[in-house]
Amino acid sequence: MTQQAPIKQTYDVVIVGGAMLGSSVAWFTANNPDFNGSILVVERDPTYEFTSTVHTNSCMRQQFSTKINIQISQFAADFVKNFRKYMGGDERVPDVPIQSYGYMYLADNEPFATTLKELQKLQVSCGAGTKHMTADEIKRDYPFYMLDDIVAGNHNLIDEGYFDGNTLFDWWKRSAKEKGVEFVHNEVVGINLNDAGTGVDSVTLASGEHVSCGQVVNASGPRAARTAAMAGIEIPVEPRKRYTFIFDAAKPLDRDLPLTIDPSGVHMRSEGSYYLAGCPPDVDPAVDYDDFVEDHSLWENKVWPVLASRIPQFERVKLINSWVGHYAFNHFDQNAIVGPHSKITNFVFVNGFSGHGFQQSPAMGRGVSEILTYGEYRTLDLSPFGYDRIENQIPFVEKAVI
């Protein structure tokens, strides 16, 4: 496709990357009645073919170990359930249900079971519906599991499971454009600072234009470190492969399969009339931005054996489809980096979600829009995700990372 030049030479906000997070920031900012500026979204591949957005499993959970991550997901659940209302009551906007099969964390040892029990108490104190269950209680509700090695588990059937995140993505783009946001097919290849090095003056596009800007948002997904480096900034974000497998079972289960996190690291869930499983590779290095080559041995050697041993009815399954996508993986602490840079204060991050991007996109888009509009957070305080923790090497610890 031919690259597009922007209509104007100056914008109040330039967003680098127009996938889920970039479009969320664009929509929330344009929808804010206190923002009256211009917004340009630069997307290198408007087909989004290789973005994390397209390869997502669209999961949602409240089972986190920190209050702010729980609150972020609770806002996401409310946003999804009331999507049309949040989109201004537009009758064109569809309902987006949450398939609340819940997450089922399985613990195969007492220390992990104790951790799950502690997390359940935190989650319930925040209003989540998480239940701590013995192996017998899990077996009672889901008799298809083999639980001989399982001590306990956590499960939540309220606002936890998966949803059609691509509908949110599509409507954020559409509505943002209707509100005056300009999306162009192009690529930011340079970020130009002022003489003091304290602010971004302009960005350079692959088509040659220099676009002046008031603020820049790095929404580049797995390419976030490359974008940051143009401004002389280092962030610990890299692309890592994550695998998804869709399979059919010769003997389908008689009830929905929760998104089950097996102690092996394999996860599985119902997916319509089929089932979905996923996992990281055993060796998990950073990969090239364009490397989407599958390791087909993972299914035979890792995933299917776990499925068959955990759920004996899955001994006879047929692989229907598979793909590999990229996490925008924050290898420092696996949490997002959000908000302005400490020195280049008009350079704003929304990066490093490490697999949580879809479910966190409503709260993060809203939060970044507040930074762009007011210079501060007005709803959820997202400062724990700030760049200063990277700079000071103080990790924000989240125990419940998949």
Side-chain angles (χ1 to χ4, degrees), residues 55-306:
H55 294 122
T56 183
N57 295 159
S58 284
C59 297
M60 180 182 293
R61 61 183 164 107
Q62 296 179 39
Q63 293 191 59
F64 286 95
S65 70
T66 57
K67 183 178 180 180
I68 186 61
N69 273 330
I70 297 168
Q71 293 172 321
I72 286 168
S73 287
Q74 288 174 329
F75 175 65
D78 185 70
F79 191 90
V80 170
K81 290 189 300 182
N82 298 284
F83 185 47
R84 182 180 295 165
K85 182 188 78 174
Y86 277 104
M87 298 300 288
D90 188 336
E91 292 296 328
R92 300 172 299 167
V93 175
D95 291 326
V96 182
I98 299 174
Q99 305 298 330
S100 293
Y101 302 163
Y103 275 59
M104 177 72 79
Y105 280 85
L106 299 176
D108 60 353
N109 59 71
E110 288 294 347
F112 186 31
T114 299
T115 297
L116 287 182
K117 195 165 189 176
E118 292 170 353
L119 296 183
Q120 184 261 352
K121 291 178 182 177
L122 170 66
Q123 292 154 14
V124 169
S125 74
C126 294
T130 311
K131 294 181 179 180
H132 186 71
M133 306 174 72
T134 65
D136 287 342
E137 289 170 333
I138 298 170
K139 190 73 172 179
R140 177 199 66 205
D141 291 351
Y142 298 98
F144 48 71
Y145 287 125
M146 193 292 293
L147 298 173
D148 292 353
D149 61 330
I150 297 302
V151 177
N154 278 3
H155 189 217
N156 175 18
L157 284 169
I158 301 172
D159 294 342
E160 186 167 279
Y162 69 97
F163 66 107
D164 181 8
N166 277 299
T167 295
L168 271 66
F169 173 46
D170 290 341
W171 276 96
W172 278 338
K173 285 187 299 180
R174 180 173 179 173
S175 180
K177 290 176 182 178
E178 291 174 353
K179 293 177 182 296
V181 176
E182 184 182 348
F183 283 70
V184 294
H185 169 213
N186 216 310
E187 184 173 2
V188 172
V189 295
I191 294 177
N192 312 301
L193 305 183
N194 60 22
D195 291 340
T198 57
V200 177
D201 278 346
S202 65
V203 300
T204 302
L205 303 184
S207 53
E209 292 83 6
H210 296 278
V211 179
S212 298
C213 51
Q215 300 183 86
V216 172
V217 179
N218 182 356
S220 305
R223 296 174 182 263
R226 177 179 285 183
T227 299
M230 296 177 197
I233 301 167
E234 291 187 16
I235 55 172
V237 178
E238 59 192 25
R240 295 210 185 169
K241 289 183 178 181
R242 291 297 181 267
Y243 289 78
T244 299
F245 305 93
I246 306 296
F247 62 96
D248 196 7
K251 296 174 64 177
L253 306 178
D254 65 352
R255 64 200 74 189
D256 295 325
L257 172 62
L259 199 154
T260 305
I261 296 91
D262 190 81
S264 65
V266 173
H267 62 268
M268 62 198 87
R269 77 169 196 224
S270 291
E271 177 77 2
S273 60
Y274 295 119
Y275 300 94
L276 177 151
C279 69
D282 290 328
V283 180
D284 190 23
V287 297
D288 186 80
Y289 296 118
D290 298 314
D291 178 4
F292 292 90
V293 176
E294 291 189 54
D295 177 357
H296 295 286
S297 70
L298 268 178
W299 169 257
E300 289 292 336
N301 297 334
K302 181 177 182 179
V303 178
W304 177 76
V306 170

Side-chain angles (χ1 to χ4, degrees), residues 315-337:
E315 286 181 343
R316 292 174 56 213
V317 298
K318 179 182 179 182
L319 185 62
I320 302 296
N321 191 16
S322 65
W323 63 85
V324 61
H326 288 171
Y327 269 11
F329 192 82
N330 175 359
H331 59 80
F332 177 62
D333 63 11
Q334 292 83 64
N335 276 288
I337 305 168

Side-chain angles (χ1 to χ4, degrees), residues 23-46:
S23 290
S24 175
V25 171
W27 181 80
F28 273 98
T29 306
N31 195 57
N32 188 329
D34 293 330
F35 180 86
N36 58 6
S38 54
I39 303 171
L40 173 69
V41 179
V42 183
E43 172 53 51
R44 62 186 301 276
D45 177 16

